[in-house]
């Protein structure tokens, strides 16, 4: 099952580990309570100091920065008002150039978030477009006349709640926004708008960025005739957006043509990557079309199989199985547990009946993410076991894009998973030295125990477990590019799977519970397994295949 890359050269975005930084809360170097680029530069050595045997680095290969462009921050950067500039909150273009150079010196690639489904309503393009019906940019956004009764032009909704149409007085027309009303959607049918965006993409590629994560890349396309979306029969999702078939405002065929055009630009440059957030209903099946008919769209398509799975081996394996079956030939999977839009996995999965052992869950989750076939993407703080801050008082909520929407039930605010990175047990968890300033979001109160400094010193910490797994990936071809094959077909308490190339075989055993007997369905040689990483067995020891596992055991063994 699955594709061995065989003679293909290993690409950095296939074998490396990507680390997502939420710049607002990663590190604050100037003491104003908000994260910044100089802060990230200070912490690059923690991410990867360039020494493969480092005792203090995580060892990741690329950073993906949530948006750093100029923005009024209604959606915390996902509302860009100037694509060519860095937000004052984060620093200057020069700071960014230093970040790029310092990252590259350490072998860290830099991936930018590219938010081009929409701009901020404060972007000069929208300011001009909304000023009249006949200005040069009048068609750069989706403008429609009111319905005959003066109401909205059609039934398209905003993902953040309510109608997707907002009335503009100057034009006496409505504009469409998939997200907040301050985030008007760009009209990609307009070739001038398209040219302007493509030019901007080249600007950042010329600067030397290593690729992009395309934000909301499945909603670029909109039907030219603005036809009504059919309503899903009997659907009662709390977010009304999900109660429609998004036939006409999402994932239209032209969406793929557009991503191909962006990919063509990327391919003019050497060694760059195009990742996309696919954000679709039928998530797994549809996501595969984002690789393109000839692998000419995204290099990596983000789908939400782990975030949407319960903490249950069979379900997780089923998702992996499906992805193995449907990932197109020559395409490469990618997985993540957490990002800035969803509760962190240790908060999502803590409800389950086996959650007496959060460290065990953290280790098992880390092992799955870092040993499954595909590129792993980590979200800052995941490697130290950060959980959501569920005690943020309403007056400190920063996720205004959702909170400010007027009607309907909405996705929950996302701030809990965006709190400051916990570096040490000093003031503000070492995120910000500013004594009299409040951090952008309140630090989780568990920071005296859960922080980088402390966990680096504890051999059995979750951070050191991540470090070992990342190192094992680096050193073992089977973990980087090998096929994936399960040894238990309907797993109940244990996962057991192999990753293998012609030259090497690695066996991954994960116990989700206290259940010890290990029953695997397939024959596999019993002797001479070397322990690569384990939370119960001695590293490097040669052992026989265990007949039983310790409670919550995670062991990665090599033949
Ligand atoms: C994506 C981002 C999310 C943002 C939205 C609108 O889903 O991940 O944070 O709010 O797009 O840009």
């Amino acid at each position: 099952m699955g594709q061995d890359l065989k003679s293909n050269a290993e690409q950095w975005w296939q074998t490396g580990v990507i680390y997502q930084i939420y710049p607002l809360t990663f590190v604050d170097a100037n003491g104003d309570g908000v994260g910044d680029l100089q802060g990230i530069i200070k912490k690059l050595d923690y991410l990867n100091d360039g020494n493969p045997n480092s005792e203090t680095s995580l060892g990741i290969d690329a950073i993906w920065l949530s948006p750093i462009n100029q923005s009024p921050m209604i959606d915390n950067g996902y509302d860009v008002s100037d694509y060519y500039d860095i937000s004052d909150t984060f620093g200057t273009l020069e700071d960014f150039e230093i970040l790029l150079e310092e990252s590259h010196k350490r072998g860290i690639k830099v991936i930018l978030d590219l938010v081009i489904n929409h701009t901020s309503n404060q972007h000069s393009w929208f300011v001009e477009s909304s000023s009249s019906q006949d200005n040069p940019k009048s068609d750069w956004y989706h403008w429609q006349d009111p319905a005959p009764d003066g109401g909205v032009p059609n039934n398209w909704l905003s993902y953040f709640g309510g109608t997707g149409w907002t009335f503009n007085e100057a034009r006496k027309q409505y504009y469409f926004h998939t997200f907040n009303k301050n985030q008007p959607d760009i009209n990609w049918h307009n070739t001038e708008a398209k040219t302007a965006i493509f030019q901007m993409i080249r600007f950042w590629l010329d600067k030397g960025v290593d690729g992009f994560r395309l934000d909301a890349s499945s909603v670029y396309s909109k039907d030219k005739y603005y036809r009504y979306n059919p309503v899903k029969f009997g659907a009662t999702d709390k977010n009304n957006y999900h109660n429609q078939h998004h036939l006409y405002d999402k994932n239209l065929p032209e969406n793929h043509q557009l991503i191909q055009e962006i990919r063509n630009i990327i391919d003019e440059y050497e060694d760059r990557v195009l990742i996309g957030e696919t954000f679709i209903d039928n998530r797994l099946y549809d996501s595969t079309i984002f690789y393109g008919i000839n692998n000419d769209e995204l290099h990596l398509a983000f789908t939400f199989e782990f975030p949407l799975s319960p903490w249950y081996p069979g379900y997780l394996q089923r998702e992996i199985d499906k992805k193995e079956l449907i990932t197109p030939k020559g395409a490469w999977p990618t997985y993540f547990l957490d990002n800035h839009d969803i509760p962190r996995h240790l908060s999502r999965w803590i409800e389950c009946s086996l959650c007496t052992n959060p460290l065990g869950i953290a280790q098992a989750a880390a092992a799955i993410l870092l040993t499954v076939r595909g590129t792993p993407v980590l979200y800052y703080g995941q490697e130290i076991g950060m959980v959501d801050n569920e005690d943020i008082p309403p007056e400190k909520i920063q996720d205004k894009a959702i909170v400010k929407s007027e009607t309907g039930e909405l996705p929950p605010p996302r701030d809990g998973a965006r709190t400051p990175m916990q570096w040490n047990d000093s003031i503000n968890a070492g995120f910000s030295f500013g004594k009299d300033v409040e951090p952008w979001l309140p630090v989780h109160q568990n920071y005296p125990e859960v922080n980088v400094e402390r966990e680096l010193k504890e051999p059995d910490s979750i951070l050191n477990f991540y470090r070992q797994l990342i190192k094992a990936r680096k050193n073992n071809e089977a973990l980087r590019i090998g096929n994936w094959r399960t040894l238990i077909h309907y797993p109940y308490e244990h996962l057991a799977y192999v990753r293998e190339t012609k030259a090497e075989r690695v066996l991954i055993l994960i116990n989700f519970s206290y259940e010890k007997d290990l029953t695997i369905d397939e024959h596999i040689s019993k002797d001479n397994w070397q322990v690569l990483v384990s939370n119960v067995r001695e590293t490097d020891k040669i052992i026989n295949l265990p007949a039983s596992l310790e409670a919550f055991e995670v062991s990665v063994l090599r033949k």
Side-chain angles (χ1 to χ4, degrees):
M1 226 190 270
Q3 304 290 315
D4 192 337
L5 288 182
K6 294 190 184 111
S7 58
N8 285 2
E10 295 182 27
Q11 309 279 349
W12 65 266
W13 49 264
Q14 291 171 314
T15 57
V17 176
I18 301 176
Y19 185 95
Q20 181 189 357
I21 291 179
Y22 197 65
L24 286 158
T25 47
F26 195 58
V27 203
D28 166 23
N30 65 3
D32 65 356
V34 189
D36 44 46
L37 297 186
Q38 283 296 341
I40 300 174
I41 294 167
K42 274 176 47 187
K43 295 296 184 185
L44 285 175
D45 279 344
Y46 162 70
L47 297 174
N48 189 342
D49 62 10
N51 169 7
N53 297 314
S54 171
E55 290 299 314
T56 49
S57 272
L58 185 55
I60 54 87
D61 304 276
I63 50 177
W64 147 32
L65 304 175
S66 276
I68 52 171
N69 292 122
Q70 203 67 264
S71 162
M73 297 280 171
I74 296 294
D75 195 9
N76 299 319
Y78 287 92
D79 48 329
V80 176
S81 54
D82 185 350
Y83 288 106
Y84 288 92
D85 200 3
I86 302 295
S87 158
D88 301 335
T89 309
F90 298 129
T92 61
L93 200 53
E94 200 191 336
D95 292 329
F96 178 72
E97 283 160 358
I98 299 170
L99 170 61
L100 200 57
E101 195 186 323
E102 290 297 319
S103 301
H104 286 167
K105 264 191 212 159
R106 292 163 174 80
I108 303 174
K109 306 277 187 184
V110 179
I111 299 166
L112 291 185
D113 219 311
L114 196 61
V115 188
I116 51 176
N117 171 65
H118 45 269
T119 65
S120 159
N121 60 343
Q122 294 185 29
H123 194 291
S124 59
W125 297 344
F126 186 76
V127 173
E128 185 174 342
S129 186
S130 58
S131 64
S132 68
Q133 288 200 24
D134 56 5
N135 65 76
K137 294 193 174 51
S138 59
D139 190 35
W140 282 38
Y141 295 83
H142 292 280
W143 292 102
Q144 285 293 290
D145 289 332
D149 67 356
V152 294
N154 68 16
N155 70 345
W156 296 359
L157 298 173
S158 158
Y159 181 72
F160 286 166
T163 173
W165 295 97
T166 291
F167 190 70
N168 172 271
E169 271 303 328
R171 286 184 62 139
K172 302 269 182 263
Q173 281 183 314
Y174 285 91
Y175 64 90
F176 181 68
H177 46 92
T178 303
F179 298 96
N180 188 281
K181 64 179 181 202
N182 297 292
Q183 296 166 291
D185 284 24
I186 291 171
N187 177 10
W188 282 97
H189 298 298
N190 182 292
T191 48
E192 283 171 21
K194 189 161 140 180
T195 307
I197 301 260
F198 285 1
Q199 198 178 332
M200 176 275 289
I201 292 176
R202 286 179 199 281
F203 170 82
W204 290 104
L205 289 168
D206 288 339
K207 275 230 166 300
V209 306
D210 300 288
F212 300 104
R213 175 256 188 195
L214 296 179
D215 181 66
S217 58
S218 52
V219 290
Y220 294 160
S221 53
K222 313 281 163 2
D223 177 41
K224 269 188 177 173
Y225 302 104
Y226 299 92
R227 281 169 271 211
Y228 276 59
N229 281 327
V231 173
K232 283 185 191 163
F233 179 70
T236 54
D237 197 288
K238 281 193 208 155
N239 183 352
N240 217 5
Y241 184 85
H242 297 306
N243 296 328
Q244 290 188 351
H245 292 287
H246 291 278
L247 289 190
Y248 296 116
D249 61 347
K250 184 176 189 176
N251 200 15
L252 275 71
E254 304 93 271
N255 207 90
H256 296 274
Q257 196 181 357
L258 181 58
I259 298 177
Q260 272 174 34
E261 287 180 60
I262 298 173
R263 171 67 181 269
N264 286 342
I265 301 177
I266 297 281
D267 285 349
E268 286 171 26
Y269 294 77
E270 216 179 314
D271 229 10
R272 315 293 166 102
V273 70
L274 192 63
I275 310 176
E277 179 196 33
T278 57
F279 185 68
I280 36 183
D281 288 354
N282 190 355
R283 59 189 202 277
L284 205 51
Y285 172 70
D286 279 357
S287 70
T288 59
I289 60 176
F290 281 83
Y291 287 108
I293 293 164
N294 296 309
N295 285 321
D296 50 6
E297 289 187 38
L298 300 177
H299 289 111
L300 299 174
F302 279 157
T303 47
F304 288 69
E305 46 289 297
F306 287 170
L308 295 172
S309 291
W311 182 240
Y312 190 105
Y315 282 102
L316 292 164
Q317 177 164 309
R318 195 153 75 185
E319 295 296 332
I320 300 168
D321 263 329
K322 275 196 261 174
K323 194 139 156 164
E324 284 291 311
L325 278 169
I326 66 178
T327 300
K329 194 171 181 327
W332 189 247
T334 177
Y335 290 91
F336 63 95
L337 295 167
D338 296 349
N339 73 19
H340 61 292
D341 290 329
I342 49 176
R344 289 177 180 271
H345 68 281
L346 293 181
S347 298
R348 296 197 303 271
W349 285 333
I350 216 75
E351 307 282 335
C352 71
S353 56
L354 295 170
C355 299
T356 46
N357 186 348
L359 180 64
I361 295 180
Q363 289 171 330
I368 298 170
L369 181 66
L370 290 160
T371 63
V372 77
R373 192 182 75 98
T375 306
V377 183
L378 271 74
Y379 180 54
Y380 83 96
Q382 157 181 354
E383 75 277 21
I384 54 170
M386 274 176 67
V387 292
D388 281 16
N389 186 347
E390 280 152 13
D391 299 319
I392 303 175
E395 68 279 9
K396 298 208 169 140
I397 290 284
Q398 296 279 8
D399 190 4
K400 303 173 208 100
I402 290 183
V403 176
K404 278 211 174 143
S405 302
E406 325 82 36
T407 54
E409 291 209 50
L410 302 164
R414 300 163 289 185
D415 284 346
R418 298 174 173 180
T419 56
M421 178 66 176
Q422 297 165 201
W423 294 102
N424 55 44
D425 63 6
S426 72
I427 186 163
N428 298 324
F431 159 71
S432 171
F433 64 83
K435 285 202 193 61
D436 303 325
V437 295
E438 278 196 47
W440 188 72
L441 280 172
V443 176
H444 195 290
Q445 59 188 24
N446 70 7
Y447 77 91
E449 291 82 47
V450 179
N451 66 63
V452 172
E453 194 176 293
R454 179 171 173 160
E455 291 190 32
L456 277 174
K457 289 188 202 133
E458 283 171 10
D460 296 334
S461 65
I462 181 64
L463 174 55
N464 278 321
F465 203 67
Y466 267 92
R467 292 180 57 246
Q468 288 166 35
L469 285 164
I470 292 173
K471 200 163 177 186
R473 272 181 71 88
K474 283 228 155 70
N475 295 335
N476 293 278
E477 175 190 84
L479 285 177
R480 295 194 307 274
I481 55 166
N483 287 343
W484 180 90
R485 183 163 62 88
T486 182
L487 300 179
I488 304 178
H489 294 286
Y490 297 99
Y492 188 56
E493 305 289 5
H494 303 148
L495 284 181
Y497 52 88
V498 286
R499 297 284 315 280
E500 52 198 349
T501 58
K502 283 201 186 98
E504 192 176 70
R505 173 180 282 182
V506 172
L507 167 62
I508 296 99
L509 300 170
I510 303 175
N511 187 354
F512 281 59
S513 69
Y514 297 93
E515 170 60 47
K516 300 211 164 170
D517 289 342
L518 174 67
T519 316
I520 51 185
D521 305 347
E522 300 215 354
H523 170 76
I524 185 151
S525 119
K526 298 268 183 296
D527 44 3
N528 287 332
W529 289 94
Q530 181 199 1
V531 179
L532 288 179
V533 182
S534 175
N535 56 357
V536 294
R537 297 173 199 272
E538 201 182 311
T539 316
D540 287 336
K541 205 169 166 189
I542 307 294
I543 60 167
N544 284 341
L545 182 72
S548 67
L549 297 178
E550 298 299 321
F552 296 98
E553 169 167 353
V554 177
S555 289
V556 182
L557 313 173
R558 177 177 56 193
K559 198 62 179 176

